[in-house]
Amino acid sequence: MNILDKIAEVKRAEVEAMKSIVPERSLKVEAFSVLRSVLSMSGALRRHTPGVIAEHKRRSPSKGEIAPMSDVAAVAASYALNGAAAMSVLTDTPYFGGSATDLALARRTVPTLPILRKEFIVDEYQIYESRIMGADAVLLIAAILDSAKLERFNYIAHSLGLETLIEVHTLEEISMVPEGADMVGINNRDLTSFSTDISNCTRLIEALPEGAVKVAESGIRNVEDVARLRDVGFDGFLIGEALMSKTDPGEALRAMTGI
């Protein structure tokens, strides 16, 4: 079993445990009752140059501890101050050290910044959770979902007013992207091994569907990487480790974007 399979297995168990505490029907009613207006992340990426989705991440399976004691509210405020178009918040606890509380704190801290819930979504239950937490967009990873689930989850997210970022790593996964996806992200990291090759983005960009906002993910480490990927057609750049490994992630963001 590879790393991604292990994470997905743990996630399914987590979801089943949560369903025993809060039934899906009750959660769904609550999600559709949320009154907060959703912010458009795809629109923010188009408006900003460059459109960086700055990520809060404490650790990862490949790098171990990155910023274990980081204050998500402080990081969110610094990202907003230093030019982020949007923010990504890891909510997985076992492998990334995040939580739903992190996203809720970020939401309160930066009410005008679109927030992506970075999670391994394997069940529609998690999409209802995302709306309640205060997310504006959800990540749907093609590597752990089949075409039918991608289409279904994309539909549910849109019915809640949420946008979707469909993450792909291969040409085969690009063929699974549902019609109407708001953003499509090419991940340079192979989630089965967590090895990274930034050239994966440039190899696959021409295959992405027209109309969707194009996002480059993982392995982006400096302003030159951002400029090169922008030149080949990417609208957005999801950057985490290169920011969170610095003493001041917001200052690192400003340096990376050349603002």
Side-chain angles (χ1 to χ4, degrees):
M1 185 180 290
N2 61 47
I3 299 172
L4 183 61
D5 289 338
K6 290 178 182 177
I7 293 173
E9 183 179 62
V10 169
K11 201 57 55 179
R12 293 185 190 99
E14 285 182 2
V15 171
E16 290 308 309
M18 286 303 301
K19 286 180 179 179
S20 69
I21 300 169
V22 181
E24 184 171 320
R25 181 177 297 181
S26 300
L27 192 75
K28 184 176 180 179
V29 169
E30 184 179 355
F32 277 100
S33 300
V34 175
L35 299 178
R36 185 188 70 84
S37 297
V38 175
L39 304 171
S40 174
M41 182 172 291
S42 61
L45 294 180
R46 289 192 189 278
R47 290 192 302 272
H48 283 71
T49 305
V52 174
I53 307 170
E55 186 162 272
H56 179 263
K57 176 164 61 175
R58 293 193 178 91
R59 65 173 178 263
S60 78
S62 59
K63 298 297 181 181
E65 300 294 345
I66 299 169
M69 303 304 291
S70 67
D71 180 339
V72 67
V75 171
S78 187
Y79 281 160
L81 183 65
N82 285 285
M87 183 175 181
S88 168
V89 179
L90 264 299
T91 59
D92 172 80
T93 302
Y95 293 93
F96 291 88
S99 69
T101 301
D102 284 337
L103 196 149
L105 285 171
R107 173 80 287 151
R108 288 200 294 271
T109 304
V110 288
T112 61
L113 194 67
I115 295 179
L116 170 74
R117 184 186 183 192
K118 185 79 171 289
E119 182 57 272
F120 296 84
I121 291 179
V122 295
D123 193 292
E124 63 186 71
Y125 188 93
Q126 295 162 286
I127 304 174
Y128 302 130
E129 286 181 326
S130 301
R131 182 65 167 111
I132 295 165
M133 287 176 195
D136 299 291
V138 291
L139 181 73
L140 300 177
I141 303 172
I144 57 172
L145 300 169
D146 58 29
S147 296
K149 282 187 176 178
L150 273 175
E151 186 172 351
R152 170 69 177 163
F153 291 178
N154 187 67
Y155 171 81
I156 292 169
H158 285 170
S159 71
L160 287 163
L162 299 172
E163 290 191 336
T164 54
L165 171 57
I166 311 298
E167 180 178 290
V168 299
H169 179 69
T170 66
L171 196 60
E172 181 182 1
E173 289 172 3
I174 291 175
S175 69
M176 296 166 60
V177 174
E179 186 175 349
D182 305 288
M183 299 164 283
V184 182
I186 297 177
N187 197 348
N188 293 312
R189 181 170 290 121
D190 181 346
L191 292 180
T192 62
S193 64
F194 275 75
S195 61
T196 303
D197 176 9
I198 195 170
S199 65
N200 194 51
C201 273
T202 54
R203 286 196 297 268
L204 296 179
I205 187 170
E206 293 300 325
L208 293 182
E210 292 185 16
V213 171
K214 300 172 179 62
V215 180
E217 304 178 27
S218 301
I220 304 168
R221 302 203 166 277
N222 51 52
V223 67
E224 290 80 15
D225 288 342
V226 172
R228 184 166 65 255
L229 292 170
R230 186 179 166 211
D231 286 345
V232 299
F234 284 97
D235 307 292
F237 312 88
L238 180 58
I239 308 173
E241 181 189 325
L243 304 179
M244 292 300 298
S245 60
K246 301 298 190 295
T247 302
D248 187 333
E251 285 296 326
L253 170 64
R254 181 172 292 274
M256 188 171 294
T257 57
I259 296 174

